[in-house]
Amino acid sequence: MGTNTPALACSGLVKRYGRALALAGVDLTVERGAVGGLVGPNASGKTTALRIAAGIVRPDAGRVLVDGEPGATLAARARTGYVPDEPTGLDELTVGEYLDLVRALYRAGPAYAERAEGLLRAFRLGDRAGARLGSLSHGLRRATAVVAALALRPVLAVVDEASAALDPTAASVLAEALRALAAGGSGVLLATQDLEFARAACDEVALLVEGRIVERGSPAAVIAGFGGDSLEAELLAVLGAGA
């Protein structure tokens, strides 16, 4: 699609798990060149929203378009790089073999290897290409998943619990990498409970509470809207936990 087409456009997303309502009519748009963030407490629906955007879960109602392509189709998935909260499986593969597998599955061009090598160095994984995934710590496993997804330079990057298990240096590298990816014309949707990370990485944040977006805007605008001096204050206000 053209560069004016949003990387992601979701409207009216509804998802139920039995009697539990995970999403209750969520609208999300991520433009190319922007980093959008979902913040909120546990069980607010963040992971469900991201998995729907990535085509892993189908909504019960609503519409998803990735670069203009219907969500969960092969065309949409080919445009999406996804980093789950808990990367698992393929433990017997080395880091290098895993990256080669992702490259093959996405039919990525030769530039993929060069981008992956640069990202490995940035995340201090340059000497781990021969290490098996099953031997890595949670943080290094997540960093490897980030490298694999971002090296694709996808139209849409979806990153769940973005800074989870990353040390402060790696979290800073991730924030810069996501902003650089957006600057190159991709759209990024991330979920995080790390509000400092959201401030550093996001152009816009949406507060998701019990499956509903209750406020959205730039981090600074959301802060001003609640009259607080931090996103922590806004969450406390929204959740009714203020003094």
Side-chain angles (χ1 to χ4, degrees):
M1 295 290 176
T3 56
N4 292 328
T5 304
L8 175 68
C10 302
S11 58
L13 296 184
V14 175
K15 183 62 183 179
R16 295 180 177 85
Y17 295 102
R19 294 183 178 182
L21 183 61
L23 295 177
V26 167
D27 299 329
L28 282 172
T29 300
V30 179
E31 301 290 348
R32 286 172 173 262
V35 180
L38 286 177
V39 297
N42 286 330
S44 61
K46 301 189 302 297
T47 292
T48 296
L50 264 63
R51 295 185 74 186
I52 289 173
I56 297 168
V57 170
R58 292 184 182 273
D60 295 317
R63 186 184 188 196
V64 179
L65 294 175
V66 177
D67 193 31
E69 300 288 348
T73 60
L74 287 177
R77 289 173 176 170
R79 290 162 166 79
T80 305
Y82 176 60
V83 182
D85 178 22
E86 296 281 349
T88 58
L90 304 176
D91 287 357
E92 71 282 1
L93 295 184
T94 67
V95 170
E97 289 168 343
Y98 174 67
L99 294 174
D100 287 342
L101 176 62
V102 172
R103 175 183 175 181
L105 289 173
Y106 278 83
R107 300 180 181 179
Y112 176 88
E114 183 177 349
R115 290 193 293 266
E117 184 178 349
L119 287 165
L120 286 173
R121 289 196 302 270
F123 282 99
R124 299 181 180 177
L125 284 165
D127 61 348
R128 299 294 186 107
R132 297 195 180 278
L133 295 177
S135 71
L136 299 180
S137 67
H138 185 194
L140 292 179
R141 184 68 174 264
R142 292 206 80 246
T144 301
V146 167
V147 170
L150 270 55
L152 293 168
R153 203 165 68 183
V155 173
L156 174 67
V158 179
V159 186
D160 198 7
E161 293 300 341
S163 62
L166 299 181
D167 62 41
T169 299
S172 178
V173 170
L174 177 58
E176 291 297 328
L178 294 179
R179 295 197 67 84
L181 186 68
S186 299
V188 178
L189 176 64
L190 64 88
T192 184
Q193 295 186 65
D194 183 342
L195 303 180
E196 288 297 331
F197 184 86
R199 273 190 286 262
C202 297
D203 300 297
E204 180 178 81
V205 295
L207 301 183
L208 189 64
V209 178
E210 295 182 348
R212 293 175 171 82
I213 293 178
V214 298
E215 184 69 17
R216 73 175 83 216
S218 70
V222 172
I223 290 167
F226 277 85
D229 58 3
S230 69
L231 277 176
E232 289 85 349
E234 283 96 66
L235 284 173
L236 288 174
V238 168
L239 296 173

